[in-house]
Amino acid sequence: MDKVEFNTAVLLSWRGIAGVALITAASIYVIITLGPAPSYRHLAQQVSEADLVRHVEFLSAPGMNGRGVGSPEAYRAAEYIVDELEAYGLDAPPGGWFKEVPLTLARPAEPSELALVDEEGVALTAFTRLADYGESIEHHGGSGQAEAPVTLVLFPPSTALSQRSPEEMYARFKGLDLRGRVAMVIAGNAPENFVTEALIRGAQGMLIVSDDVTPRNQVFRKKPGFYLERPPLPVFRITPATADAILSGDGLDVEALREEIAGLDGTGSPWITRELDAWVRQRLQLEPPETVTAYNVMWLLDGSDANLARELVIVSCHYDGLGRAPARLGSPKSDGTLYPGANGNASGVAAMLEIARLWQEQEFQPRRSVLFAAWVGGELPYSGAHYFHDLPTGFIHRYDIAAVIHLDRLGSATGDGLVARQVSGRDNLFNLLASSAERLDVDVTQGGAPRHRYQQLFSGENGTLIVTWGDPPPALADDTLGSINPHHLSQAAQVVNLTLITAAHEPRY
């Protein structure tokens, strides 16, 4: 038998290479499969509760006048964000920190009114703007006043009146008499432009029952003829609870009406009316539309991984607020009710700033690109986020959006933990948030509802989330620094930080 000589050194070298390869593969598997390393949690927990409170205190101070959209105080809030980022050592992005956003608004010139009254005009129940109702300038909505009984108008759900020509619409409403009345309809049931028909049929005002009573006093440049059509009449969107208060005298409520609407198909009538005993008073006086220049504040961290840098993680909040309610004519502006906006949404801004500080301080470098965005006009139908999204040359179109987290109302004193609303995308991001919360001993549940239209704008492949602490309703005048729970805000910031670190750095999650 011939002797075969083995080169022991070669054999050992190949065994070494194979061993290193196995160890490397195992390490990659552990990193990808088992989630964030312990150092991630350590970084996430370095949140400074004192800094969070400092940010909220500045942004919600009385001198900031609620950071009303387009106001000098809102611009000061944007400057504050930039000052903090520069203090952390961050450099301005190309084109600077401030990104212009033109906004056209028709603001109330004096306090509006919606009240349930008796036939002598004595107020029985006064409703609160922003909480119970909000004005609309769409179509013929505008300045005006009405004091009249209410007529309820309902439509069969399958009657596609909005798809008909104006001539057909006019014919369909033949016989509808709203003279000397305030018309009440339910959003989604009435034709889109029923305001015009109500005006033609003699209505003095209009109430639209809706879950969204955010004032619609913004003029979109793309629809110049869609707003403040003449002649005007006061149009208010009212909450179901407000509608129930008006309907209760006639033994009705919104839930019963919805059931009635479901049974209207097959009746052969395109509409039915019910004259109520209830009287309401509406009053609205608007200033002429004014175009103001407001600003988004954004900064982009480029991803370090050539294969992942085209994927974008967005962390988002709005920094302005409701400002002050208009004062009565002849009174100082400071007499108007102040809406400080501590939880909504100075708390979201505070969390974003603290995360930016920690990443810069710890030199954290994400593999994916990360966009931090503080939007203007968060309370508007068309916000700075919409304007940025619609820019045809915007840099966001160069990326694939991997994940989106909207930070909103993170410092509520009520609630037992985080509430996350999944707006779109896969479950990956929510599952990551839940696992991050578990690692930090924080409860998280799914629920809530979008309160701002921009929160439904961006769609992340792995998920788009709105994250709040609890699901508090707008606190309005009571939304002060004293209403903030610093511990809740700190816990929320830590969980969001850990979630973002993982989403930005790990190849899979």
Side-chain angles (χ1 to χ4, degrees):
M1 180 180 293
D2 295 332
K3 292 182 178 180
V4 179
E5 294 184 2
F6 292 94
N7 188 325
T8 306
V10 171
L11 180 60
L12 289 174
S13 68
W14 280 106
R15 285 180 177 174
I17 293 172
V20 170
L22 286 172
I23 292 172
T24 302
S27 300
I28 292 173
Y29 175 81
V30 168
I31 290 172
I32 293 177
T33 306
L34 300 184
S39 61
Y40 288 3
R41 182 168 61 183
H42 176 74
L43 173 58
Q45 290 177 308
Q46 301 310 301
V47 166
S48 167
E49 188 173 295
D51 279 346
L52 290 170
V53 172
R54 176 172 62 86
H55 298 321
V56 176
E57 181 177 19
F58 178 88
L59 293 170
S60 62
M64 292 296 285
N65 283 318
R67 312 182 306 281
V69 59
S71 68
E73 293 82 8
Y75 182 70
R76 180 68 193 97
E79 287 184 318
Y80 177 83
I81 295 170
V82 170
D83 289 345
E84 289 294 313
L85 295 175
E86 291 182 339
Y88 305 155
L90 290 165
D91 296 324
W97 294 106
F98 300 98
K99 310 299 182 183
E100 289 190 359
V101 179
L103 301 171
T104 302
L105 306 171
R107 308 175 196 262
E110 59 181 70
S112 59
E113 181 185 17
L114 174 63
L116 183 64
V117 301
D118 63 20
E119 294 187 19
E120 303 300 321
V122 177
L124 304 174
T125 304
F127 300 105
T128 302
R129 181 177 179 266
L130 302 179
D132 301 322
Y133 73 95
E135 68 275 6
S136 172
I137 64 169
E138 296 171 347
H139 302 295
H140 286 272
S143 299
Q145 58 184 16
E147 186 171 318
V150 177
T151 292
L152 182 67
V153 188
L154 304 179
F155 305 87
S158 64
T159 303
L161 291 172
S162 59
Q163 304 300 317
R164 299 178 183 272
S165 68
E167 293 78 12
E168 290 176 304
M169 288 277 285
Y170 186 85
R172 295 282 285 185
F173 287 112
K174 185 178 180 180
L176 176 62
D177 188 357
L178 296 175
R179 286 175 293 180
R181 313 286 295 190
V182 170
M184 178 190 288
V185 299
I186 296 179
N189 174 242
E192 180 182 354
N193 192 15
F194 185 69
V195 174
T196 300
E197 287 299 327
L199 180 70
I200 292 172
R201 308 294 166 175
Q204 292 186 13
M206 186 163 173
L207 303 174
I208 303 172
V209 183
S210 173
D211 292 323
D212 179 11
V213 297
T214 303
R216 300 189 177 193
N217 54 6
Q218 181 182 17
V219 178
F220 297 168
R221 293 187 302 165
K222 293 182 178 180
K223 296 181 177 181
F226 186 73
Y227 306 95
L228 299 169
E229 297 176 25
R230 297 227 173 245
L233 77 165
V235 177
F236 292 166
R237 300 178 76 86
I238 63 174
T239 65
T242 303
D244 286 346
I246 296 171
L247 294 165
S248 62
D250 290 86
L252 300 171
D253 58 47
V254 173
E255 184 177 355
L257 294 180
R258 294 189 191 280
E259 294 177 359
E260 182 177 351
I261 288 169
L264 290 180
D265 273 336
T267 62
S269 176
W271 46 268
I272 65 168
T273 60
R274 185 170 297 156
E275 294 189 349
L276 306 182
D277 292 332
W279 281 60
V280 299
R281 180 164 58 236
Q282 294 176 266
R283 188 172 69 243
L284 177 65
Q285 183 62 46
L286 296 171
E287 296 178 349
E290 176 190 13
T291 299
V292 298
T293 300
Y295 300 90
N296 292 328
V297 179
M298 296 184 290
W299 61 104
L300 179 70
L301 294 180
D302 293 320
S304 62
D305 189 315
N307 295 320
L308 296 176
R310 280 180 52 87
E311 298 182 18
L312 186 67
V313 175
I314 300 176
V315 53
S316 154
C317 67
H318 64 279
Y319 68 84
D320 53 4
L322 296 168
R324 281 187 182 272
R328 296 200 175 275
L329 291 178
S331 300
K333 288 186 177 181
S334 58
D335 284 358
T337 302
L338 173 64
Y339 307 117
N343 196 35
N345 189 30
S347 64
V349 175
M352 177 183 289
L353 285 173
E354 186 60 7
I355 291 169
R357 180 189 69 81
L358 286 173
W359 285 21
Q360 179 71 3
E361 182 180 277
Q362 301 293 327
E363 298 182 347
F364 173 69
Q365 182 59 54
R367 292 178 182 171
R368 292 182 176 87
S369 297
V370 180
L371 174 65
F372 290 84
W375 308 116
V376 70
E379 304 290 345
L380 297 178
Y382 192 87
S383 67
H386 292 84
Y387 185 81
F388 171 71
H389 177 272
D390 291 346
L391 285 174
T393 58
F395 67 82
I396 195 171
H397 303 295
R398 301 197 298 266
Y399 293 90
D400 299 320
I401 301 178
V404 183
I405 296 183
H406 299 294
L407 310 181
D408 192 10
R409 295 168 290 138
L410 294 176
S412 175
T414 61
D416 298 323
L418 291 174
V419 175
R421 165 80 177 201
Q422 182 166 323
V423 179
S424 61
R426 298 197 293 253
D427 296 337
N428 302 46
L429 188 61
F430 174 79
N431 293 336
L432 177 58
L433 179 80
S435 65
S436 299
E438 183 178 9
R439 289 167 66 85
L440 296 172
D441 198 27
V442 176
D443 292 332
V444 61
T445 57
Q446 277 190 298
R451 293 189 182 274
H452 308 282
R453 291 196 185 184
Y454 76 85
Q455 294 172 337
Q456 303 178 69
L457 189 60
F458 300 99
S459 181
E461 182 179 356
N462 292 321
T464 295
L465 298 180
I466 304 167
V467 182
T468 65
W469 186 279
D471 187 26
L476 302 179
D478 295 326
D479 192 7
T480 63
L481 178 65
S483 70
I484 293 290
N485 183 311
H487 183 59
H488 289 173
L489 179 53
S490 177
Q491 286 183 297
Q494 290 178 46
V495 173
V496 170
N497 194 13
L498 181 55
T499 303
L500 286 170
I501 290 169
T502 312
H505 199 68
E506 292 302 310
R508 292 196 315 221
Y509 54 89

